[in-house]
C-alpha cells in the first residue's frame, strides 16, 4: 500500500488529497515501480485545474517520474527488478508506487541520478523536440525564448547555444534574468521593466527572429508574432498565462509567418522515437552541454504548495518531489 495525491474534482491545489492507494500488480507488458523522484510541470496544473479534460472521475496529476523496478509482468524481457528507470506520461505520477507500460520506460544511464531524471526528462524531451522538429534550429539563427528562467527555458538556452544559434530570453525580474544569463542566453530581457518587442527589434537591428518558443500564451503571443522576421515560426508550446483565444490565421499574413502548437506526446509516440530523443538528452547532460538546476526539492505530499508557487510565478528552474 502506497500513498498518492488524488483530486476528486477540478480546482485549485487544495483539491488534491493525500490518500492510501493499493500498489497494483503488473500485467502483461507492464512493470511495477517504486517512485523515488517526481517532476513538477505546468501540465500537472492544467490537468488538476480542469483546463485539460480528465479521462476519469478522479485525477492523479504528475507527468514524469523516476523510480526502481519492483516487479515485471509477463512478456517484459528488457527490464529487471532493481533497474533504474524514468518515464513521461500525461498524468498519474503523484504517487509512491505505480504500474507503468514497459515500453514507456527509459533506462537511466550511469551518472544520471533519479532527481536529475525526474526534473529533466519531460522538460528535456520538450526542449529536444522543439529545437529538432517543431522548428529545426540552424547555426546562425536568432531565437526568442519566453520564460527563459523556467524549467524548459533553462535547457533551451544552452541547447540553442550548442547548435550555434543566438538565444534571446525573456524573464521577470533581475534574479530570473541573471539565472537565464548563466544558461546560454546571449541576451535576456526583463519583461517587467522593458517592452520585449522593442528590445528584440533593437537587439536584432530590426531583422527579427527566425523562431519564437512561447510557453506563456495569452500575455505574449501578439508580441511574439511581432518579433519574427519574414517567414518566421511561432511555436506555442504552453499557456502559463492562459490559453490563446482570439488568434486568427490572418495574423500570420504579416510576413508569411508559420504557427505551430506542438505537444510532446506526439513526438514520442513510438518507443524508437522515445529512446532516440531521450538518448540525445542524456548525452547532452552527460557531456556537460546542459547544466541542470534542481532549484527545489519537496516531499511528494507538498505538491499543492509547489503548484501554488508555480501559478504565482514564484519558482525558477525545476522542482522535484521526493517520494
Amino acid at each position: 500500500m502506497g500513498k498518492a495525491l488524488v483530486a476528486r474534482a477540478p480546482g485549485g491545489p487544495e483539491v488534491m488529497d493525500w490518500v492510501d492507494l493499493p500498489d497494483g500488480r503488473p500485467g502483461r507488458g507492464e512493470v511495477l515501480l517504486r517512485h523515488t523522484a517526481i517532476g513538477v510541470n505546468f501540465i500537472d496544473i492544467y490537468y488538476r485545474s480542469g483546463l485539460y479534460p480528465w479521462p476519469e472521475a478522479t485525477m492523479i496529476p504528475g507527468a514524469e517520474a523516476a523510480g526502481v523496478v519492483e516487479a515485471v509482468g509477463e512478456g517484459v524481457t528488457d527490464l529487471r527488478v532493481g533497474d533504474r528507470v524514468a518515464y513521461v506520461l500525461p498524468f498519474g505520477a503523484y504517487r509512491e508506487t505505480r504500474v507503468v507500460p514497459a515500453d514507456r520506460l527509459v533506462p537511466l544511464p550511469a551518472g544520471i541520478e533519479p532527481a536529475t531524471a525526474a526534473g529533466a526528462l519531460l522538460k528535456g524531451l520538450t526542449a529536444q523536440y522543439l529545437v529538432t522538429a517543431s522548428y529545426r534550429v540552424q547555426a546562425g539563427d536568432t531565437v526568442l525564448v519566453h520564460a527563459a528562467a523556467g524549467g524548459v527555458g533553462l535547457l533551451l538556452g544552452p541547447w540553442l547555444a550548442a547548435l550555434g544559434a543566438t538565444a534571446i530570453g525573456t524573464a521577470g525580474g533581475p534574479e530570473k534574468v541573471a539565472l537565464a544569463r548563466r544558461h546560454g542566453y546571449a541576451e535576456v530581457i526583463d519583461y517587467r521593466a522593458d517592452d520585449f518587442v522593442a528590445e528584440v527589434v533593437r537587439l536584432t537591428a530590426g531583422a527579427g527572429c527566425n523562431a519564437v518558443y512561447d510557453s506563456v500564451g495569452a500575455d505574449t503571443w501578439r508580441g511574439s508574432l511581432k518579433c519574427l522576421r519574414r517567414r518566421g515560426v511561432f511555436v506555442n508550446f504552453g499557456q502559463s498565462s492562459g490559453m490563446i483565444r482570439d488568434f486568427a490565421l490572418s495574423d500570420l499574413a504579416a510576413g508569411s509567418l508559420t504557427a505551430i502548437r506542438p505537444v510532446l506526446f506526439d513526438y514520442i509516440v513510438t518507443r524508437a522515437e522515445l529512446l532516440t530523443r531521450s538518448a540525445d538528452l542524456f548525452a547532452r547532460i552527460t557531456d556537460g552541454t546542459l547544466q541542470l538546476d534542481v532549484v527545489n526539492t519537496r516531499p511528494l505530499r507538498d505538491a499543492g504548495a509547489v503548484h501554488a508557487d508555480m501559478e504565482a510565478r514564484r519558482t525558477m528552474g525545476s522542482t522535484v518531489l521526493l517520494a
Side-chain angles (χ1 to χ4, degrees), residues 56-78:
E56 300 174 351
T58 60
M59 163 61 59
I60 299 176
E64 66 179 337
V68 177
V69 175
E70 290 214 324
V72 297
E74 184 182 355
V76 177
T77 59
D78 56 347

Side-chain angles (χ1 to χ4, degrees), residues 192-209:
R192 293 178 181 172
D194 298 302
D195 178 344
F196 75 83
V197 176
E199 283 298 292
V200 168
V201 170
R202 181 183 68 83
L203 290 169
T204 63
C209 299

